Amino acid sequence: MARAVGRVSQKFDVEVSRGKRGPGELSVIDPEYRKLSRQRAQQAAKKTRTTQLISQPQITNLRQPVEIGIRKKARDFRDPSEKRLAKPAEELTADLFRLFERQPHWVFAQLQRQTDQPLQHLKTVLMEIAVQNKRGPYKDMWELKKGYRLSGET
């Protein structure tokens, strides 16, 4: 955002002139235009939405009650006893290399589904062998670091 610093040396006031008037005479707004402006303002102020109270609900065969205002979290709904167990880092690294052989770019959620590892453990191991693209066509996707790529890949 640009900012101007300075001092005002002259001030000019501008008034809209309707018709030909002499210097110093104020213009009078036409009564028809005033009426049109008032009508436009009233039209814009009208409420367009309406509510209607229904005494008898007409929807009778709902299979389950609908709760408004409650959002379900989009999480993995697993049984708490089925927690993800962390593999040893060497084993997980080998699995990740196999996945990157199949395709060079992965979204983190896909990697987590494929390896079935806890989020933090997977991220720690992944950061050692791969980088996350911050921009470009593969934004937010992971790819192997240059030292780990196959020689034919770019």
Side-chain angles (χ1 to χ4, degrees), residues 30-151:
D30 189 10
E32 289 179 33
Y33 181 74
R34 190 178 299 150
K35 181 180 174 185
L36 178 65
S37 295
R38 190 177 307 118
Q39 285 175 349
R40 286 180 184 168
Q42 288 171 349
Q43 188 71 23
K46 280 185 184 176
K47 293 185 179 181
T48 57
R49 294 183 181 186
T50 59
T51 58
Q52 182 180 6
L53 181 65
I54 300 174
S55 59
Q56 286 288 338
Q58 297 174 357
I59 303 171
T60 55
N61 30 339
L62 284 177
R63 295 185 180 167
Q64 55 184 332
V66 177
E67 295 181 18
I68 298 174
I70 297 174
R71 296 178 78 188
K72 289 184 180 179
K73 292 183 180 179
R75 293 202 174 218
D76 195 7
F77 292 107
R78 293 175 179 241
D79 188 26
S81 63
E82 294 181 30
K83 286 190 175 182
R84 294 180 170 140
L85 299 175
K87 290 182 183 177
E90 299 81 24
E91 199 175 318
L92 180 57
T93 304
D95 289 348
L96 288 171
F97 279 131
R98 273 189 238 109
L99 290 172
F100 279 108
E101 283 177 7
R102 282 198 312 191
Q103 71 184 48
H105 299 92
W106 289 85
V107 176
F108 186 80
Q110 291 175 326
L111 287 171
Q112 190 174 19
R113 264 187 256 115
Q114 292 288 325
T115 58
D116 197 33
Q117 291 298 297
L119 181 130
Q120 196 57 47
H121 178 62
L122 176 61
K123 195 164 196 171
T124 305
V125 174
L126 190 60
M127 288 178 78
E128 293 176 12
I129 64 167
V131 292
Q132 184 180 15
N133 293 312
K134 300 293 182 190
R135 60 182 73 87
Y138 299 109
K139 185 176 188 255
D140 295 330
M141 296 182 92
W142 291 82
E143 67 179 334
L144 286 176
K145 290 182 179 178
K146 289 195 183 226
Y148 294 114
R149 290 186 198 157
L150 296 174
S151 59

Side-chain angles (χ1 to χ4, degrees), residues 4-24:
V5 178
R7 201 176 282 168
V8 177
S9 60
Q10 290 184 342
K11 179 181 171 189
F12 298 98
D13 290 328
V14 179
E15 291 183 12
V16 177
S17 172
R18 300 210 188 270
K20 295 188 178 188
R21 307 251 184 252

